[in-house]
Protein backbone atom coordinates (compact mmCIF):
# COMPACT_ATOMS: atom_id res chain seq x y z
CA UNK A 1 0.00 0.00 0.00
CA UNK A 2 1.15 3.53 -0.72
CA UNK A 3 -0.10 6.35 1.44
CA UNK A 4 -0.13 9.81 -0.14
CA UNK A 5 1.65 12.58 1.79
CA UNK A 6 -1.55 14.65 1.64
CA UNK A 7 -4.95 13.65 2.96
CA UNK A 8 -8.23 13.85 1.06
CA UNK A 9 -9.34 16.75 3.26
CA UNK A 10 -6.13 18.63 2.58
CA UNK A 11 -6.32 18.05 -1.17
CA UNK A 12 -9.99 18.95 -1.42
CA UNK A 13 -9.14 22.21 0.35
CA UNK A 14 -6.22 22.87 -1.99
CA UNK A 15 -8.33 22.24 -5.09
CA UNK A 16 -10.66 25.06 -4.04
CA UNK A 17 -7.81 27.45 -4.85
CA UNK A 18 -5.88 25.44 -7.43
CA UNK A 19 -7.98 23.32 -9.74
CA UNK A 20 -6.75 19.87 -10.76
CA UNK A 21 -4.69 18.60 -12.40
CA UNK A 22 -1.47 19.63 -10.67
CA UNK A 23 1.71 18.13 -9.35
CA UNK A 24 2.35 18.67 -5.66
CA UNK A 25 5.66 18.09 -3.87
CA UNK A 26 6.38 17.34 -0.24
CA UNK A 27 9.06 19.63 1.20
CA UNK A 28 9.49 17.58 4.35
CA UNK A 29 10.02 14.36 2.41
CA UNK A 30 12.53 16.00 0.08
CA UNK A 31 14.59 17.39 2.95
CA UNK A 32 14.53 14.08 4.81
CA UNK A 33 15.63 12.23 1.67
CA UNK A 34 18.58 14.56 1.12
CA UNK A 35 19.64 14.22 4.76
CA UNK A 36 19.40 10.42 4.60
CA UNK A 37 21.61 10.42 1.50
CA UNK A 38 24.26 12.61 3.13
CA UNK A 39 24.10 10.48 6.26
CA UNK A 40 24.59 7.30 4.20
CA UNK A 41 27.76 8.73 2.64
CA UNK A 42 29.03 10.63 5.68
CA UNK A 43 32.03 8.25 5.78
CA UNK A 44 33.29 9.99 2.62
CA UNK A 45 34.62 13.46 3.33
CA UNK A 46 34.09 14.95 -0.12
CA UNK A 47 30.68 13.43 -0.80
CA UNK A 48 28.27 15.56 -2.80
CA UNK A 49 24.94 15.00 -4.54
CA UNK A 50 24.44 16.86 -7.82
CA UNK A 51 20.69 16.65 -8.33
CA UNK A 52 19.79 15.80 -11.94
CA UNK A 53 17.94 18.97 -12.93
CA UNK A 54 16.08 17.25 -15.75
CA UNK A 55 14.12 15.21 -13.22
CA UNK A 56 12.46 18.27 -11.63
CA UNK A 57 13.60 21.57 -13.14
CA UNK A 58 11.59 23.69 -10.73
CA UNK A 59 13.38 26.51 -8.87
CA UNK A 60 11.51 26.06 -5.57
CA UNK A 61 12.61 22.42 -5.49
CA UNK A 62 16.18 23.18 -6.56
CA UNK A 63 16.43 25.78 -3.79
CA UNK A 64 15.34 23.28 -1.15
CA UNK A 65 17.99 20.86 -2.40
CA UNK A 66 20.57 23.65 -2.41
CA UNK A 67 19.77 24.35 1.24
CA UNK A 68 20.41 20.66 1.87
CA UNK A 69 23.93 21.02 0.37
CA UNK A 70 23.12 19.50 -3.00
CA UNK A 71 24.59 20.77 -6.24
CA UNK A 72 23.04 20.26 -9.66
CA UNK A 73 23.74 18.11 -12.67
CA UNK A 74 22.88 19.87 -15.93
CA UNK A 75 22.82 18.61 -19.50
CA UNK A 76 21.85 21.70 -21.48
CA UNK A 77 22.44 25.40 -21.71
CA UNK A 78 19.06 26.29 -20.31
CA UNK A 79 19.52 23.92 -17.37
CA UNK A 80 22.81 25.73 -16.70
CA UNK A 81 21.03 29.08 -16.86
CA UNK A 82 18.26 27.86 -14.56
CA UNK A 83 20.80 26.55 -12.06
CA UNK A 84 22.78 29.76 -12.14
CA UNK A 85 19.63 31.79 -11.54
CA UNK A 86 18.78 29.52 -8.62
CA UNK A 87 22.08 30.43 -7.00
CA UNK A 88 24.25 27.45 -7.86
CA UNK A 89 27.80 28.30 -8.84
CA UNK A 90 31.11 26.82 -9.94
CA UNK A 91 31.81 23.49 -8.31
CA UNK A 92 28.17 23.09 -7.33
CA UNK A 93 27.39 22.49 -11.00
CA UNK A 94 28.19 19.29 -12.87
CA UNK A 95 27.72 19.46 -16.64
CA UNK A 96 27.03 15.89 -17.74
CA UNK A 97 25.90 16.60 -21.28
CA UNK A 98 26.20 14.67 -24.52
CA UNK A 99 26.15 15.69 -28.18
CA UNK A 100 26.88 19.12 -26.77
CA UNK A 101 26.70 22.32 -28.85
CA UNK A 102 29.72 24.58 -28.51
CA UNK A 103 27.71 27.40 -26.92
CA UNK A 104 26.84 25.09 -24.05
CA UNK A 105 30.45 24.06 -23.45
CA UNK A 106 31.37 27.73 -23.46
CA UNK A 107 28.58 28.57 -21.01
CA UNK A 108 29.61 25.73 -18.69
CA UNK A 109 33.22 26.87 -18.73
CA UNK A 110 32.25 30.49 -18.03
CA UNK A 111 30.19 29.35 -15.05
CA UNK A 112 33.09 27.31 -13.72
CA UNK A 113 30.95 24.17 -13.86
CA UNK A 114 32.68 20.80 -13.87
CA UNK A 115 32.51 19.53 -17.43
CA UNK A 116 31.95 15.79 -17.59
CA UNK A 117 33.11 14.84 -21.09
CA UNK A 118 30.93 12.31 -22.88
CA UNK A 119 33.18 11.66 -25.88
CA UNK A 120 36.87 11.37 -26.64
CA UNK A 121 36.34 13.46 -29.74
CA UNK A 122 35.13 16.35 -27.63
CA UNK A 123 38.73 16.96 -26.59
CA UNK A 124 39.62 17.96 -30.15
CA UNK A 125 36.32 19.86 -30.41
CA UNK A 126 37.20 21.87 -27.30
CA UNK A 127 40.81 22.35 -28.40
CA UNK A 128 39.52 23.96 -31.57
CA UNK A 129 37.29 26.22 -29.47
CA UNK A 130 40.33 27.53 -27.60
CA UNK A 131 41.44 29.09 -30.88
CA UNK A 132 38.09 30.29 -32.22
CA UNK A 133 35.96 31.07 -29.17
CA UNK A 134 38.30 31.66 -26.26
CA UNK A 135 37.49 28.36 -24.56
CA UNK A 136 39.92 27.59 -21.76
CA UNK A 137 40.41 24.09 -20.44
CA UNK A 138 39.38 24.09 -16.78
CA UNK A 139 41.80 22.76 -14.16
CA UNK A 140 39.26 20.07 -13.22
CA UNK A 141 37.46 17.85 -15.71
CA UNK A 142 35.56 14.60 -15.62
CA UNK A 143 35.28 11.77 -18.14
CA UNK A 144 32.28 9.56 -18.70
CA UNK A 145 33.08 5.87 -18.94
CA UNK A 146 31.05 3.21 -20.74
CA UNK A 147 32.38 -0.32 -20.18
CA UNK A 148 30.33 -1.76 -23.06
CA UNK A 149 28.98 -5.29 -23.04
CA UNK A 150 26.07 -6.29 -20.89
CA UNK A 151 25.72 -5.03 -17.35
CA UNK A 152 24.46 -7.85 -15.20
CA UNK A 153 24.25 -8.51 -11.51
CA UNK A 154 24.17 -12.15 -10.59
CA UNK A 155 21.99 -13.74 -13.23
CA UNK A 156 19.99 -10.61 -13.90
CA UNK A 157 20.71 -8.46 -16.94
CA UNK A 158 20.36 -4.87 -15.78
CA UNK A 159 21.13 -3.01 -19.00
CA UNK A 160 23.13 -3.02 -22.23
CA UNK A 161 25.94 -0.41 -22.05
CA UNK A 162 27.17 -1.60 -25.48
CA UNK A 163 24.00 -0.13 -26.99
CA UNK A 164 24.18 3.08 -24.98
CA UNK A 165 25.17 6.28 -26.74
CA UNK A 166 26.83 7.62 -23.60
CA UNK A 167 30.42 7.64 -22.52
CA UNK A 168 33.82 6.48 -23.73
CA UNK A 169 35.57 3.13 -23.93
CA UNK A 170 38.26 2.28 -21.43
CA UNK A 171 41.06 3.12 -23.87
CA UNK A 172 39.42 6.42 -24.72
CA UNK A 173 39.23 7.40 -21.05
CA UNK A 174 42.91 6.55 -20.56
CA UNK A 175 44.01 8.35 -23.73
CA UNK A 176 41.64 11.19 -22.89
CA UNK A 177 43.28 11.78 -19.52
CA UNK A 178 46.70 11.84 -21.15
CA UNK A 179 45.53 14.34 -23.75
CA UNK A 180 43.74 16.56 -21.24
CA UNK A 181 46.83 16.60 -19.02
CA UNK A 182 48.82 18.01 -21.90
CA UNK A 183 46.13 20.67 -22.31
CA UNK A 184 46.59 21.80 -18.71
CA UNK A 185 43.91 19.83 -16.86
CA UNK A 186 45.22 18.84 -13.43
CA UNK A 187 42.34 17.19 -11.57
CA UNK A 188 40.22 14.37 -12.94
CA UNK A 189 36.93 12.74 -12.18
CA UNK A 190 35.41 9.53 -13.47
CA UNK A 191 31.69 9.06 -14.15
CA UNK A 192 29.48 6.22 -15.29
CA UNK A 193 25.75 5.49 -15.53
CA UNK A 194 25.04 1.84 -16.25
CA UNK A 195 21.41 1.17 -15.37
CA UNK A 196 18.31 3.23 -14.73
CA UNK A 197 15.69 2.86 -11.98
CA UNK A 198 17.43 -0.03 -10.24
CA UNK A 199 15.44 -1.43 -7.35
CA UNK A 200 18.28 -3.18 -5.54
CA UNK A 201 20.73 -2.06 -2.89
CA UNK A 202 23.54 -3.71 -4.90
CA UNK A 203 23.63 -1.49 -8.00
CA UNK A 204 25.74 1.35 -6.61
CA UNK A 205 28.26 -0.96 -4.90
CA UNK A 206 28.67 -2.96 -8.14
CA UNK A 207 29.08 0.18 -10.25
CA UNK A 208 31.42 1.62 -7.62
CA UNK A 209 33.64 -1.46 -7.71
CA UNK A 210 34.07 -1.16 -11.48
CA UNK A 211 34.91 2.54 -11.23
CA UNK A 212 37.19 2.18 -8.19
CA UNK A 213 39.17 -0.61 -9.86
CA UNK A 214 39.40 1.45 -13.03
CA UNK A 215 40.71 4.40 -11.00
CA UNK A 216 43.51 2.17 -9.66
CA UNK A 217 44.31 1.05 -13.22
CA UNK A 218 44.41 4.67 -14.36
CA UNK A 219 46.93 5.48 -11.62
CA UNK A 220 49.11 2.62 -12.85
CA UNK A 221 48.76 3.46 -16.53
CA UNK A 222 48.89 7.26 -16.49
CA UNK A 223 50.16 8.19 -13.07
CA UNK A 224 47.05 10.24 -12.37
CA UNK A 225 45.14 9.89 -9.11
CA UNK A 226 41.45 10.34 -9.80
CA UNK A 227 40.03 13.06 -7.53
CA UNK A 228 36.34 12.13 -7.58
CA UNK A 229 34.15 9.29 -8.74
CA UNK A 230 30.64 10.16 -9.85
CA UNK A 231 28.21 7.27 -9.50
CA UNK A 232 25.59 9.40 -11.31
CA UNK A 233 21.91 8.43 -11.19
CA UNK A 234 20.13 5.13 -11.49
CA UNK A 235 19.01 4.35 -7.96
CA UNK A 236 15.35 3.64 -8.46
CA UNK A 237 12.14 3.80 -6.48
CA UNK A 238 9.45 1.24 -5.81
CA UNK A 239 6.77 2.48 -8.19
CA UNK A 240 4.90 -0.70 -7.32
CA UNK A 241 3.91 -0.98 -3.69
CA UNK A 242 4.88 -4.66 -3.61
CA UNK A 243 8.49 -3.80 -4.53
CA UNK A 244 10.95 -3.37 -1.72
CA UNK A 245 12.24 0.21 -1.61
CA UNK A 246 15.96 0.83 -1.78
CA UNK A 247 17.64 1.52 1.53
CA UNK A 248 20.12 4.34 1.08
CA UNK A 249 21.91 3.53 4.34
CA UNK A 250 22.57 -0.01 3.09
CA UNK A 251 23.65 1.35 -0.31
CA UNK A 252 26.04 3.82 1.32
CA UNK A 253 27.53 1.08 3.47
CA UNK A 254 27.88 -1.17 0.40
CA UNK A 255 29.84 1.51 -1.43
CA UNK A 256 31.90 2.14 1.73
CA UNK A 257 32.89 -1.54 1.91
CA UNK A 258 33.96 -1.60 -1.74
CA UNK A 259 35.81 1.69 -1.24
CA UNK A 260 37.80 0.25 1.65
CA UNK A 261 38.62 -2.93 -0.29
CA UNK A 262 39.81 -1.12 -3.40
CA UNK A 263 40.76 2.56 -3.15
CA UNK A 264 41.52 2.85 0.55
CA UNK A 265 43.42 -0.45 0.58
CA UNK A 266 45.59 0.80 -2.27
CA UNK A 267 46.60 4.20 -1.06
CA UNK A 268 43.74 6.30 -2.45
CA UNK A 269 41.59 6.95 0.65
CA UNK A 270 40.73 10.55 -0.26
CA UNK A 271 38.76 10.01 -3.46
CA UNK A 272 35.50 11.93 -3.26
CA UNK A 273 32.21 10.25 -4.09
CA UNK A 274 29.65 12.19 -6.08
CA UNK A 275 26.12 11.23 -7.08
CA UNK A 276 23.67 12.68 -9.61
CA UNK A 277 20.44 11.21 -8.36
CA UNK A 278 17.17 12.46 -9.74
CA UNK A 279 14.48 9.82 -9.42
CA UNK A 280 15.58 8.55 -6.02
CA UNK A 281 15.63 12.06 -4.55
CA UNK A 282 12.30 13.30 -5.84
CA UNK A 283 9.99 10.70 -7.38
CA UNK A 284 8.21 9.61 -4.17
CA UNK A 285 7.91 13.21 -2.97
CA UNK A 286 5.66 14.36 -5.77
CA UNK A 287 2.23 13.27 -6.90
CA UNK A 288 -0.22 14.17 -9.61
CA UNK A 289 -3.65 15.12 -8.32
CA UNK A 290 -6.45 14.63 -10.81
CA UNK A 291 -10.23 14.51 -10.70
CA UNK A 292 -12.49 12.02 -12.41
CA UNK A 293 -14.58 13.57 -15.17
CA UNK A 294 -16.33 10.61 -16.73
CA UNK A 295 -16.98 6.94 -16.42
CA UNK A 296 -17.56 5.02 -19.62
CA UNK A 297 -18.41 1.38 -20.22
CA UNK A 298 -17.81 -0.35 -23.52
CA UNK A 299 -15.71 -3.49 -23.78
CA UNK A 300 -13.86 -2.23 -20.74
CA UNK A 301 -14.66 0.31 -18.07
CA UNK A 302 -12.88 3.60 -18.57
CA UNK A 303 -12.28 6.20 -15.91
CA UNK A 304 -11.61 9.51 -17.65
CA UNK A 305 -9.63 11.98 -15.54
CA UNK A 306 -8.68 15.63 -16.06
CA UNK A 307 -4.95 14.87 -16.32
CA UNK A 308 -3.47 13.23 -19.38
CA UNK A 309 -0.16 11.99 -20.70
CA UNK A 310 0.95 15.60 -21.21
CA UNK A 311 1.14 15.87 -17.42
CA UNK A 312 2.83 12.51 -16.91
CA UNK A 313 4.30 10.80 -19.90
CA UNK A 314 5.89 7.76 -18.29
CA UNK A 315 2.92 5.35 -18.55
CA UNK A 316 2.37 6.19 -22.24
CA UNK A 317 6.05 6.34 -23.10
CA UNK A 318 7.52 3.42 -21.15
CA UNK A 319 4.37 1.56 -20.18
CA UNK A 320 5.50 2.47 -16.67
CA UNK A 321 3.46 1.58 -13.63
CA UNK A 322 2.31 4.41 -11.36
CA UNK A 323 0.28 3.53 -8.33
CA UNK A 324 -3.12 5.20 -7.99
CA UNK A 325 -5.02 5.98 -4.81
CA UNK A 326 -8.71 6.86 -4.92
CA UNK A 327 -8.89 9.33 -2.07
CA UNK A 328 -11.42 8.53 0.62
CA UNK A 329 -12.00 5.02 -0.75
CA UNK A 330 -8.82 3.38 0.55
CA UNK A 331 -10.84 0.95 2.64
CA UNK A 332 -13.64 0.38 0.17
CA UNK A 333 -14.58 -3.27 -0.38
CA UNK A 334 -16.34 -2.54 -3.65
CA UNK A 335 -13.83 -2.78 -6.49
CA UNK A 336 -13.80 -2.63 -10.25
CA UNK A 337 -11.22 -3.36 -12.94
CA UNK A 338 -10.72 -0.27 -15.07
CA UNK A 339 -8.50 1.65 -17.46
CA UNK A 340 -7.72 5.14 -16.15
CA UNK A 341 -7.39 7.47 -19.12
CA UNK A 342 -6.63 11.03 -20.09
CA UNK A 343 -8.31 12.90 -22.92
CA UNK A 344 -5.63 12.82 -25.62
CA UNK A 345 -6.65 11.45 -29.00
CA UNK A 346 -4.15 8.67 -28.45
CA UNK A 347 -5.10 5.29 -27.12
CA UNK A 348 -1.87 5.04 -25.13
CA UNK A 349 -3.06 7.93 -22.95
CA UNK A 350 -3.75 5.64 -20.03
CA UNK A 351 -2.46 5.98 -16.49
CA UNK A 352 -3.52 2.44 -15.68
CA UNK A 353 -4.67 -0.54 -17.71
CA UNK A 354 -6.98 -3.18 -16.35
CA UNK A 355 -6.24 -2.14 -12.79
CA UNK A 356 -8.47 -3.18 -9.94
CA UNK A 357 -9.37 -0.10 -7.93
CA UNK A 358 -12.11 0.88 -5.52
CA UNK A 359 -15.28 1.63 -7.47
CA UNK A 360 -14.77 5.11 -8.89
CA UNK A 361 -17.40 7.74 -9.70
CA UNK A 362 -17.12 11.10 -11.49
CA UNK A 363 -15.95 13.75 -9.04
CA UNK A 364 -13.59 11.43 -7.17
CA UNK A 365 -10.13 12.74 -6.52
CA UNK A 366 -7.27 10.47 -7.56
CA UNK A 367 -3.65 10.63 -6.62
CA UNK A 368 -1.09 9.26 -9.05
CA UNK A 369 1.99 8.44 -7.02
CA UNK A 370 5.72 8.94 -7.55
CA UNK A 371 5.54 11.75 -10.07
CA UNK A 372 8.12 13.98 -8.36
CA UNK A 373 10.86 13.12 -10.86
CA UNK A 374 10.58 12.78 -14.64
CA UNK A 375 6.91 13.76 -14.22
CA UNK A 376 6.11 17.40 -14.90
CA UNK A 377 9.48 17.78 -16.62
CA UNK A 378 8.65 15.31 -19.37
CA UNK A 379 5.40 17.12 -20.06
CA UNK A 380 4.43 18.40 -23.46
CA UNK A 381 1.50 20.08 -25.18
CA UNK A 382 0.02 17.53 -27.54
CA UNK A 383 -3.61 18.15 -28.47
CA UNK A 384 -2.99 21.71 -27.22
CA UNK A 385 -3.27 20.43 -23.69
CA UNK A 386 -1.42 22.83 -21.45
CA UNK A 387 1.13 22.15 -18.74
CA UNK A 388 -0.31 22.01 -15.25
CA UNK A 389 0.59 23.94 -12.14
CA UNK A 390 3.12 22.73 -9.57
CA UNK A 391 2.52 23.19 -5.85
CA UNK A 392 4.72 22.72 -2.84
CA UNK A 393 3.33 21.30 0.37
CA UNK A 394 5.51 23.25 2.77
CA UNK A 395 6.75 21.95 6.08
CA UNK A 396 4.13 24.07 7.84
CA UNK A 397 1.44 22.07 6.02
CA UNK A 398 0.42 24.87 3.67
CA UNK A 399 0.38 24.48 -0.08
CA UNK A 400 2.17 27.11 -2.13
CA UNK A 401 1.98 27.66 -5.88
CA UNK A 402 5.49 27.28 -7.31
CA UNK A 403 4.55 27.23 -10.99
CA UNK A 404 1.22 28.38 -12.40
CA UNK A 405 -0.63 26.36 -14.99
CA UNK A 406 -0.10 27.41 -18.59
CA UNK A 407 -2.73 29.52 -20.29
CA UNK A 408 -3.70 29.69 -23.96
CA UNK A 409 -1.60 32.88 -24.14
CA UNK A 410 1.47 30.80 -23.27
CA UNK A 411 0.61 28.30 -25.97
CA UNK A 412 0.29 31.02 -28.61
CA UNK A 413 3.20 33.14 -27.38
CA UNK A 414 5.78 31.86 -29.85
CA UNK A 415 3.65 32.25 -32.96
CA UNK A 416 4.07 34.91 -35.62
CA UNK A 417 1.27 35.98 -37.93
CA UNK A 418 -1.40 34.90 -35.47
CA UNK A 419 -3.47 37.44 -33.62
CA UNK A 420 -4.56 36.05 -30.30
CA UNK A 421 -6.64 39.14 -29.55
C1 LIG B 1 19.14 11.30 -16.03
C2 LIG B 1 20.48 11.39 -15.46
C3 LIG B 1 20.69 11.31 -14.09
C4 LIG B 1 19.57 11.03 -13.11
O1 LIG B 1 19.04 9.79 -13.30
P1 LIG B 1 17.94 9.19 -12.30
O2 LIG B 1 17.60 7.89 -12.89
O3 LIG B 1 16.83 10.16 -12.26
O4 LIG B 1 18.62 9.07 -10.96
C5 LIG B 1 21.96 11.45 -13.60
N1 LIG B 1 23.01 11.69 -14.43
C6 LIG B 1 22.86 11.79 -15.76
C7 LIG B 1 24.04 12.07 -16.60
C8 LIG B 1 21.60 11.64 -16.32
O5 LIG B 1 21.45 11.73 -17.64
Amino acid sequence: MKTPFVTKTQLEEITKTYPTPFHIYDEKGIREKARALYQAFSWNKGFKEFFAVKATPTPAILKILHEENCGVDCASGVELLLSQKCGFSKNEIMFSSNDTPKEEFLAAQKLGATINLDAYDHIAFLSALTKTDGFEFPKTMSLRYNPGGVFSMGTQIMDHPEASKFGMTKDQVVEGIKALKKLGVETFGLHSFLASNTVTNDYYPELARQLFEFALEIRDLVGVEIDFINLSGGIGVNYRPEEKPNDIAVIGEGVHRVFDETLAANGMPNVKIYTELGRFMLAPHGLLATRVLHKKKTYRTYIGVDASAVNLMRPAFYDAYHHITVLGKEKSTSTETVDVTGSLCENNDKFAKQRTLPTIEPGDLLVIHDTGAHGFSMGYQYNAKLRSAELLLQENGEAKLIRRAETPEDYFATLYGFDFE
Side-chain angles (χ1 to χ4, degrees):
M1 192 170 137
K2 276 184 187 270
T3 309
F5 55 79
V6 275
T7 62
K8 177 174 161 59
T9 316
Q10 261 177 315
L11 257 192
E12 288 289 5
E13 194 54 39
I14 293 167
T15 59
K16 286 182 191 159
T17 313
Y18 307 109
T20 54
F22 54 77
H23 288 269
I24 182 165
Y25 305 92
D26 175 24
E27 176 174 8
K28 183 162 175 284
I30 296 167
R31 290 191 187 277
E32 284 171 1
K33 183 59 63 69
R35 288 171 199 173
L37 174 69
Y38 273 88
Q39 180 58 36
F41 284 90
S42 55
W43 53 269
N44 185 270
K45 265 196 240 116
F47 176 79
K48 195 166 183 72
E49 152 73 357
F50 295 83
F51 177 70
V53 169
K54 71 168 189 261
T56 323
T58 307
I61 304 294
L62 298 180
K63 283 179 185 160
I64 291 171
L65 291 166
H66 200 191
E67 285 168 17
E68 298 296 336
N69 296 318
C70 298
V72 279
D73 162 39
C74 300
S76 70
V78 178
E79 286 185 354
L80 284 173
L81 191 60
L82 176 68
S83 301
Q84 182 194 11
K85 297 225 178 255
C86 288
F88 294 90
S89 65
K90 296 187 189 300
N91 55 8
E92 292 176 329
I93 307 175
M94 187 66 62
F95 188 54
S96 294
S97 60
N98 73 95
D99 190 21
T100 313
K102 78 171 182 184
E103 295 75 18
E104 300 189 357
F105 275 132
L106 293 167
Q109 187 240 306
K110 262 216 193 87
L111 275 178
T114 304
I115 296 175
N116 180 26
L117 276 190
D118 179 66
Y120 179 74
D121 309 80
H122 290 171
I123 298 170
F125 185 81
L126 292 177
S127 289
L129 291 187
T130 60
K131 301 193 181 76
T132 53
D133 294 81
F135 181 83
E136 286 173 36
F137 277 91
K139 291 280 172 258
T140 300
M141 285 188 88
S142 174
L143 296 90
R144 184 167 184 168
Y145 170 50
N146 178 337
V150 174
F151 179 65
S152 48
M153 287 172 44
T155 54
Q156 200 190 351
I157 292 177
M158 306 290 290
D159 218 322
H160 296 81
E162 66 190 358
S164 156
K165 69 171 180 169
F166 303 110
M168 310 180 205
T169 67
K170 194 166 232 188
D171 288 348
Q172 288 173 336
V173 171
V174 171
E175 292 308 310
I177 291 175
K178 287 187 199 161
L180 289 169
K181 240 176 113 177
K182 287 200 190 116
L183 291 161
V185 181
E186 294 166 357
T187 306
F188 292 91
L190 199 55
H191 167 285
S192 194
F193 190 153
L194 295 188
S196 196
N197 192 31
T198 58
V199 190
T200 158
N201 293 328
D202 299 329
Y203 166 66
Y204 251 22
E206 174 56 35
L207 169 68
R209 180 178 297 282
Q210 294 196 20
L211 288 172
F212 295 168
E213 286 173 353
F214 189 21
L216 292 172
E217 257 182 82
I218 288 170
R219 184 181 59 180
D220 290 346
L221 290 168
V222 199
V224 163
E225 285 203 12
I226 293 291
D227 182 65
F228 62 86
I229 289 187
N230 184 343
L231 301 175
S232 73
I235 298 186
V237 298
N238 58 322
Y239 287 104
R240 293 173 184 271
E242 66 272 20
E243 285 172 323
K244 197 164 171 243
N246 285 320
D247 184 336
I248 197 64
V250 174
I251 292 172
E253 242 346 276
V255 175
H256 189 185
R257 194 175 56 246
V258 176
F259 187 94
D260 282 349
E261 287 165 13
T262 54
L263 293 175
N266 288 282
M268 285 174 66
N270 298 319
V271 176
K272 304 176 191 106
I273 305 294
Y274 293 166
T275 56
E276 294 173 342
L277 296 167
R279 191 186 315 272
F280 179 75
M281 299 301 287
L282 248 300
H285 309 302
L287 54 83
L288 175 58
T290 182
R291 206 177 280 282
V292 177
L293 299 177
H294 302 284
K295 184 166 182 173
K296 165 177 174 175
K297 291 192 185 191
T298 52
Y299 310 101
R300 291 184 178 182
T301 299
Y302 295 99
I303 301 297
V305 299
D306 62 6
S308 67
V310 302
N311 307 114
L312 177 67
M313 197 191 209
R314 298 187 72 260
F317 200 31
Y318 307 116
D319 205 19
Y321 180 95
H322 278 265
H323 200 64
I324 294 177
T325 299
V326 186
L327 288 179
K329 296 189 173 175
E330 290 84 346
K331 294 190 178 125
S332 166
T333 48
S334 156
T335 62
E336 209 169 10
T337 300
V338 298
D339 283 14
V340 178
T341 79
S343 60
L344 299 188
C345 303
E346 273 283 340
N347 196 39
N348 67 355
D349 184 16
K350 295 183 177 180
F351 292 114
K353 294 176 192 161
Q354 293 299 278
R355 185 141 347 143
T356 302
L357 290 169
T359 306
I360 296 174
E361 300 302 337
D364 280 348
L365 202 48
L366 306 190
V367 152
I368 303 178
H369 290 258
D370 301 314
T371 69
H374 312 292
F376 179 93
S377 64
M378 286 179 93
Y380 56 114
Q381 294 173 317
Y382 198 52
N383 264 160
K385 287 278 176 176
L386 305 178
R387 290 186 179 85
S388 79
E390 293 182 291
L391 305 179
L392 179 69
L393 183 68
Q394 302 171 100
E395 285 189 296
N396 65 11
E398 276 172 32
K400 179 166 106 180
L401 186 67
I402 55 175
R403 188 194 302 265
R404 66 162 170 81
E406 283 179 346
T407 62
E409 284 89 335
D410 295 317
Y411 185 78
F412 297 127
T414 50
L415 298 174
Y416 289 106
F418 175 83
D419 189 3
F420 181 63
E421 300 303 313

